[in-house]
Amino acid sequence: MREEDWSEAWKTYYKPIDVSNTLRIVPSWEPVSATDHEKTIIELDPGMAFGTGTHETTLLCLQALETLIQPGDRVIDVGTGSGILSIAAVKLGARHVQAFDLDPVAVKVAKENIERNQTAESTEVTERDLLAETASTEKADVVVANLLSDIVIRMVPSVQNHLKQNGHLLVSGIISSKKAEVIHVLSLHGFTVIDVHEMKDWVAIHAQRMSEV
């Protein structure tokens, strides 16, 4: 199909999604119902970027962020895609979010969705790679990365440059067969696994930075 046709045709099948009892994703072209106002709403048009909220990896991250984010947290979202996790973090109480993506299309889409959700004042979206960056001047309380297992494994050694001591790392996009390998790499680099969330064949791992390595 032509790209422009596909980018519109899929919208027929994208409907509101209940992430939990308190968090709901509503496509930007769908009306927000009266009952929606009782929940935290994320209005989203993913366009050509990853992150509709329907995939298990994104759902696992959103559900984990609901219990993980504390008021006033600084958050880094690696591979932000549609911006869905950055938006959720702010709506759940984060004070500031840095959202990174290497794809200029994702950066554009994320900025549009962040504006749509009125979270732009608390969110900085940048086309860049966390792996290539030097230490952040102000480290994050939470780093979230919904990527792929191999990229997560490569990223882990550099996370300490960007995450506070005792800060939290949430990684997803991990297929079940890679779970043990990711956990092993985390342990090698000073992280303690706090929780493992699983849905179908996908895994999200919540770990805490306990020591310098």
Side-chain angles (χ1 to χ4, degrees), residues 9-211:
W10 70 272
K11 292 182 177 181
T12 305
Y13 306 98
Y14 184 38
K15 299 299 180 184
I17 306 151
D18 285 315
V19 176
S20 68
N21 291 332
T22 57
L23 183 61
R24 184 172 173 84
I25 301 165
V26 179
S28 60
W29 55 90
E30 291 274 342
V32 176
S33 69
T35 56
D36 285 340
H37 295 295
E38 300 170 5
K39 299 187 176 187
T40 300
I41 301 298
I42 297 174
E43 293 186 53
L44 204 68
D45 183 348
M48 301 292 285
F50 178 80
T52 60
T54 59
H55 195 277
E56 288 83 3
T57 59
T58 312
L59 285 169
L60 287 168
C61 282
L62 289 167
Q63 290 167 358
L65 285 175
E66 279 197 283
T67 59
L68 186 55
I69 297 292
Q70 299 299 311
D73 275 353
R74 293 183 66 87
V75 178
I76 294 176
D77 176 15
V78 186
T80 192
S82 67
I84 186 170
L85 299 181
S86 293
I87 294 164
V90 173
K91 293 201 171 193
L92 292 168
R95 173 171 58 92
H96 183 260
V97 177
Q98 290 179 287
F100 303 151
D101 207 295
L102 285 173
D103 180 3
V105 173
V107 169
K108 177 177 180 292
V109 169
K111 287 181 177 178
E112 290 170 351
N113 281 316
I114 286 162
E115 288 281 355
R116 179 177 288 114
N117 284 272
Q118 301 178 339
T119 57
E121 286 189 6
S122 303
T123 312
E124 175 189 354
V125 186
T126 311
E127 184 182 335
R128 74 179 233 196
D129 178 6
L130 181 75
L131 297 173
E133 295 295 325
T134 55
S136 300
T137 54
E138 189 168 356
K139 295 186 178 183
D141 300 284
V142 178
V143 173
V144 58
N146 183 16
L147 301 167
L148 295 170
S149 302
D150 291 342
I151 301 174
V152 167
I153 288 167
R154 288 186 5 241
M155 181 193 78
V156 167
S158 68
V159 171
Q160 294 210 32
N161 292 328
H162 305 274
L163 184 64
K164 292 178 181 177
Q165 186 76 23
N166 299 317
H168 298 272
L169 173 63
L170 177 63
V171 290
S172 189
I174 301 162
I175 199 74
S176 296
S177 59
K178 289 277 192 175
K179 177 175 69 173
E181 185 179 357
V182 174
I183 290 173
H184 176 65
V185 171
L186 287 166
S187 67
L188 289 177
H189 292 277
F191 288 91
T192 296
V193 173
I194 304 299
D195 208 349
V196 177
H197 308 273
E198 301 189 48
M199 188 180 295
K200 295 185 179 177
D201 293 327
W202 296 97
V203 178
I205 300 170
H206 167 205
Q208 189 170 16
R209 180 190 169 196
M210 305 305 290
S211 63

